[in-house]
Amino acid sequence: MILPKVRDPRLVTVRRGGTLTDADHHLLALWAATCAEHVLSLFESEVPGDDRPRQAIEHARSWVRGEVPMMVARAAGGHAMGAARPLRGAARFAAYAAGQAGCVAHVPEHDLGAAAYAIKAVGEAAPSDERTDAMRRECQWQRDRLPAPVLDLVLEDQSRRNAICWSVFDV
C-alpha cells in the first residue's frame, strides 16, 4: 500500500539485487518495531485481549536475533494487520504499525509503514486542535531514535515517499 512503484535499490537486500546489507536491514526492523511499540497502547487499551500486534513487534525483534525465520515474522505482521481491519481510529493505525514492523523482515521498505501508521495513530488519538502538533512530535520522536548507519537513508526515503505515506513526515 505504501510501497513505491520504483524501488530504491538501497532498500533492497543484497541477495535480491540491491545494496542493503543484512546489518542495516536489521537496524530498520528494530527501528520499525520501536516506532510501532511506542503507540501499541492505543491498540491494547481498546482491544486488551488481542496480542497479535504485540506478537508482530516481538517477532520482528526475534527475526533480527535469528530466532525466527522471515516467513514467521511476516506472517505475524499479517496477523497484526488482520487485528486492525475491523477497527477505526488510533487503535486501527497502531495495529497496522505493528503489522508493518513485522513485515520489515520480508521487505525492508515496510519500515516507513510502521513509522507512518504510528504517526497517524498519534494523530487520531489527539484532540483535533492538537493533532498536527502531536503528529509532528511523534515524527521527531521517531527520528531521534533512528540508528546512525541508516539515518540518512531513512530521511531521504521519508522525503521520497512522503506523498504515498499521507504526508505524515512533513506535518
Side-chain angles (χ1 to χ4, degrees):
M1 179 165 122
I2 58 170
L3 296 176
K5 290 179 182 174
V6 177
R7 307 277 305 276
D8 182 340
R10 297 174 305 161
L11 287 162
V12 176
T13 59
V14 171
R15 71 187 143 281
R16 294 204 174 176
T19 61
L20 186 69
T21 65
D22 286 345
D24 286 350
H25 189 182
H26 291 164
L27 290 175
L28 293 174
L30 292 172
W31 177 70
T34 298
C35 292
E37 187 174 52
H38 193 237
V39 300
L40 185 59
S41 65
L42 297 171
F43 173 83
E44 290 179 333
S45 65
E46 189 165 318
V47 192
D50 191 341
D51 71 345
R52 290 176 289 176
R54 181 168 294 281
Q55 288 295 314
I57 293 166
E58 289 176 11
H59 277 80
R61 291 183 174 132
S62 294
W63 171 76
V64 169
R65 292 189 302 265
E67 297 168 358
V68 300
M70 176 275 292
M71 293 297 286
V72 171
R74 184 179 82 171
H79 294 308
M81 288 187 258
R85 286 185 190 100
L87 303 174
R88 295 289 172 257
R92 179 183 184 137
F93 293 128
Y96 274 133
Q100 292 285 309
C103 291
V104 172
H106 176 58
V107 176
E109 288 168 309
H110 284 296
D111 70 319
L112 282 198
Y117 278 117
I119 293 168
K120 285 186 68 77
V122 166
E124 286 293 313
S128 60
D129 62 331
E130 298 174 23
R131 189 164 285 162
T132 299
D133 286 340
M135 292 172 70
R136 187 176 294 119
R137 284 190 304 273
E138 181 64 17
C139 184
Q140 188 58 55
W141 183 92
Q142 293 174 0
R143 288 176 177 167
D144 290 344
R145 280 142 188 87
L146 272 166
V150 295
L151 175 69
D152 290 340
L153 175 63
V154 172
L155 293 178
E156 289 171 24
D157 195 33
Q158 285 180 348
S159 178
R160 188 171 69 90
R161 288 199 283 154
N162 191 46
I164 59 174
C165 291
W166 312 286
S167 300
V168 298
F169 299 117
D170 68 359
V171 292

